[in-house]
């Protein structure tokens, strides 16, 4: 069985820019929050249904215990979804630091070190080195634009 999607095929290159990761994390956070709300609604209905329709023949402790067994998994699922939503902020921050901020800081430190070494030991009239730019972006800008447009379409809907 094949699965078809209306959007672009997933590729790791789609998350090559901080803006892409931010859009992805925001979209994922929205989905997780909506699912957590869905589970919360089901949990609320299950609690109300159990309290309104207690089975006959159960003592108060046994009714409480069975109610706990019915509602407990919903609570745990809801907590896990809420925690996953919070982790999207870590995902975004780690990606930005690991892929952009730390390499840029290392690059500028290496450039300063290289320039300092040339100033003290450089020959007169030496050509200064060219500044090092940000890491090159892969040639999959079309796929990245597709992801962003997909995200913007869903936001506007």
């Amino acid at each position: 069985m094949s699965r078809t999607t209306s959007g672009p095929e997933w590729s790791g290159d789609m998350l090559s820019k901080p803006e892409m990761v931010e859009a992805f994390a925001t979209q994922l956070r929205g989905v997780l929050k909506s699912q957590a709300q869905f589970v919360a609604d089901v949990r609320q209905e299950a609690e109300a249904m159990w309290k309104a329709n207690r089975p006959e023949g159960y003592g108060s402790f046994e009714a409480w215990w069975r109610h706990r067994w019915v509602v407990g998994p919903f609570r745990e699922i809801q907590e896990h979804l809420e925690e996953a939503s919070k982790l999207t902020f870590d995902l975004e921050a780690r990606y930005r630091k690991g892929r952009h901020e730390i390499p840029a800081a290392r690059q500028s430190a290496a450039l300063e070190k290289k320039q300092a070494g040339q100033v003290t030991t450089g020959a007169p009239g030496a050509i200064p080195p060219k500044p090092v730019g940000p890491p090159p972006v892969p040639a999959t800008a079309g796929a990245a634009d597709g992801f962003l447009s997909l995200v913007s379409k869903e936001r506007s809907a």
Side-chain angles (χ1 to χ4, degrees):
M1 175 193 311
S2 67
R3 201 174 93 182
T4 60
T5 59
S6 60
E9 289 291 319
W10 170 253
S11 169
D13 295 339
M14 292 178 159
L15 298 177
S16 61
K17 298 178 183 176
E19 303 85 39
M20 293 292 291
V21 175
E22 181 181 356
F24 174 74
T26 302
Q27 185 176 3
L28 180 60
R29 197 174 307 120
V31 169
L32 289 170
K33 284 182 181 180
S34 68
Q35 293 300 313
Q37 184 59 45
F38 173 73
V39 172
D41 293 343
V42 171
R43 175 182 169 198
Q44 185 179 16
E45 289 179 11
E47 287 177 348
M49 196 180 316
W50 181 265
K51 287 179 183 177
N53 300 310
R54 283 195 179 159
E56 294 180 23
Y58 286 165
S60 61
F61 176 77
E62 189 174 10
W64 170 82
W65 183 256
R66 291 190 183 265
H67 168 73
R68 183 175 174 210
W69 277 97
V70 168
V71 176
F74 288 116
R75 179 182 43 79
E76 290 178 25
I77 292 168
Q78 181 182 356
E79 289 171 356
H80 287 301
L81 287 169
E82 290 169 353
E83 182 63 27
S85 179
K86 291 175 187 175
L87 288 175
T88 60
F89 291 106
D90 289 342
L91 166 84
E92 191 177 339
R94 286 180 185 177
Y95 179 85
R96 185 179 56 252
K97 264 188 177 173
R99 295 286 299 261
H100 298 282
E101 292 174 3
I102 292 174
R106 286 181 182 164
Q107 216 171 29
S108 66
L111 181 61
E112 287 176 14
K113 184 177 178 181
K114 188 175 180 181
Q115 287 176 345
Q118 285 183 351
V119 169
T120 57
T121 61
I127 300 172
K130 294 182 181 178
V132 180
V137 177
T140 59
D145 292 337
F147 179 74
L148 283 178
S149 65
L150 177 66
V151 171
S152 65
K153 284 180 189 175
E154 289 186 9
R155 284 188 179 174
S156 64

